[in-house]
Amino acid sequence: EYMRVGSILIFILILSLAIIGQTNKGSITGTVSDSKGLAVPGAKVTVTNIGTGKATVLMTSGEGSFTANALEPTIYDIKVEAPNFKKALIQKVKVDTASVATVNVVIEAGNISEEVTIQGDSQTVNSDSGTISQTITERQIRDLPLNNRSVLDLAVTMPNVSGDAGSEDVDAASNQPVPGFNLSVNGGRPGSTSMLADGVNNTGIGIARAVVSFTPETVQEFAVQSSAYSAEYGTTGGGVINITTKSGNNRFSGTALWYHRNPKTNAAPWRQTFGTTPRPPNNLRTNQVSLSVGGSIYLPKFGDDGKWVYDGHNKSFFFFAYEPRWRTDFVSSTGLLPTSAERSGNFRGLTRTSSGFLPSAIASQFGQSSIGQTGIYQQFTVGPGGKLVPIVLTTGFGYCQFGAANVTLVANPTFGGVMQPQCTTAQIASETEANNPNLNIIPTSFFDPISTKLLGIMDPVGNYSVENALVRNYFLTRSVLQNETRYTLRLDHNITNNMKVNFRYSKTPAVGIKGAGGEINGNTGTYSNAKQYLVTINNVFSSSLVNDLRLNYTRGNFSEDFSPQFSIKSGRNFSRELGLTSLATGGIPLILLTQDTQGYVAADLGAGGSTNNFNVEQRKNISDTLYWNHGNQSWKFGADLSKAQLQVIPFFAASGGRWQFRAINTSNNR
């Protein structure tokens, strides 16, 4: 029976180790010995956070060892006291994110009132773990230039890390914002890296990107663990990127900065060029402001005595960052739109060229030769209720051009004998635009009222010119607008000497709105809208038993939607305004007029794509880690419970419809 109980306990222990909670906290471990190398048991070791003054008091074991667990990644002083020995003070021992600092202290015999000071910078060695870990410090984050103002840019400077850090910034092309996804750690595939923020999972569920992005002004440091890391770090195929955010301390400090880029000073992007082809311009204009402040919490008392209602020195701290951003970018392209005559139904005097349909005079001016016929053929008649009725051809007949006078009327047997025009080859050849002023003009009776509305929002044509050997009459600006304000709030409070709680709230409401000449055309909203709540409760039960509990809620909206104004699930519905049916609450239709590659270019109206989707994810997480020092051994137990939810609704063609029109509908055959 005892063997059975023992087996169960061992099994539970193995399970606990397998699902131990992840953390960004570090530790200090070491031994205390005398000048002869003998262990000093029962020595008092005080580990003090220099910034907040919080002290952790330990007693060395019978083997002279000590371990301070669940320490914030920052700088500590260590004081060692023992009877008949001089006090030893080891200053500025740095604890890195998710790392162990080993500090072995040799104390000298003497009066305890005497003190020996040692600089900890050169004393710290990580001999406790074989983990390959590199830390990017606050100094590096502050001093190194970052193109995207994202701390992940610095990850690629680390050994065993390659790839593209990315950002949540949207460009004017079709790239998707997936910060951190394309990083490869220790040879792992992109998308296989685990990203943590203050020890909680900050990795996307639908796509393994960073959910909340952090600026350099909000990050204390971060570490990249690439090999032999602890079993507590799961769900990774290569490594772990562990970010620690800033917190307040007893010294008030802050940052105020304005980061600006504009086309006047931007360097042109590098690109392989051929001959005299110039490099494309850099049209990015961005302004990033960061205002951050941190320190102790003081609540003033109104009156003349000058006292505080609450003095948070050594007890309560805050850090707050307010970071507005304004960003625009654009690229230029050209197109060929129908003329005002064509929009009114008049397709006379056109030449079909390799550039598209051009007025014959323009085609001649630019040396564009004909590559095919341009006649507009009638395949339908207008039936009851304005509906188009297909013409059923009889043997020996074909479709007539619109406006043809020499036609044969044949009864349509399918639609109650409606008389419909048909033409023989001879009849078609007998008429030209020169002898028939109505040829190739579509009557207004064929105009759909919705189409008339759509033609009213189509951009006007400009002057004709040659761009890349093609004749064009429209100059298009594909733009992106991304304005947002980010917030970070962190509160730390020492409830008692042995109990500490901290809270962090981060919000990055990034939405990049793409447009192509107007609020309807090319309207795309690329969302990287995320927020994260974190509560950590740290309890020191005794010098050998410490518990660290984390509660976390993270939510991200990573959708390819329209702009908030026309958002598919909650915005304005332009389809219904036009008179079209629509499945979604909001949205925009996509009217495709460029299905014929030798017709019109950039003449499409509206917006839509196969990537339109509503993608929202959320993670609810409880993580607990228990540290137990026993003799000269340190044990760690824990559990990590995470509920990950992903909601994806694909909206391809359901956000207003895809209405496709081709030249085949007016050709001489179907």
Side-chain angles (χ1 to χ4, degrees), residues 293-423:
V293 63
S296 301
I297 296 176
Y298 293 93
L299 299 178
K301 180 179 180 181
F302 298 100
D304 300 328
D305 54 9
K307 295 181 179 179
W308 299 95
V309 173
Y310 180 78
D311 183 347
H313 184 79
N314 277 353
K315 190 170 185 179
S316 301
F317 311 92
F318 78 97
F319 175 82
F320 177 70
Y322 168 79
E323 299 178 298
R325 294 158 48 108
W326 304 272
R327 186 172 179 275
T328 60
D329 197 2
F330 69 90
V331 294
S332 300
S333 60
T334 59
L336 181 68
L337 300 186
T339 63
S340 57
E342 292 166 69
R343 299 182 202 192
S344 69
N346 186 342
F347 289 84
R348 294 171 61 85
L350 298 179
T351 301
R352 188 182 181 95
T353 72
S354 57
S355 297
F357 286 100
L358 296 175
S360 297
I362 299 298
S364 176
Q365 175 185 343
F366 291 98
Q368 299 283 301
S369 58
S370 173
I371 61 171
Q373 60 87 24
T374 57
I376 304 298
Y377 289 83
Q378 182 179 343
Q379 298 181 12
F380 305 86
T381 54
V382 179
K387 294 185 178 181
L388 297 181
V389 178
I391 295 175
V392 179
L393 296 175
T394 55
T395 303
F397 287 87
Y399 299 115
C400 308
Q401 290 176 263
F402 274 101
N406 187 10
V407 302
T408 301
L409 296 176
V410 178
N412 186 323
T414 307
F415 293 92
V418 175
M419 304 302 290
Q420 296 182 316
Q422 301 180 21
C423 291

Side-chain angles (χ1 to χ4, degrees), residues 25-30 66-69 93-103 124-129 131 133 225 627 634 636:
K25 298 286 183 71
S27 301
I28 297 176
T29 187
F66 70 93
T67 300
N69 290 308
V93 175
K94 176 64 171 66
V95 175
D96 289 339
T97 294
S99 185
V100 179
T102 304
V103 181
T124 312
V125 178
N126 184 0
S127 60
D128 187 72
S129 169
T131 302
S133 178
Q225 296 171 294
Y627 303 87
S634 295
K636 188 190 291 187

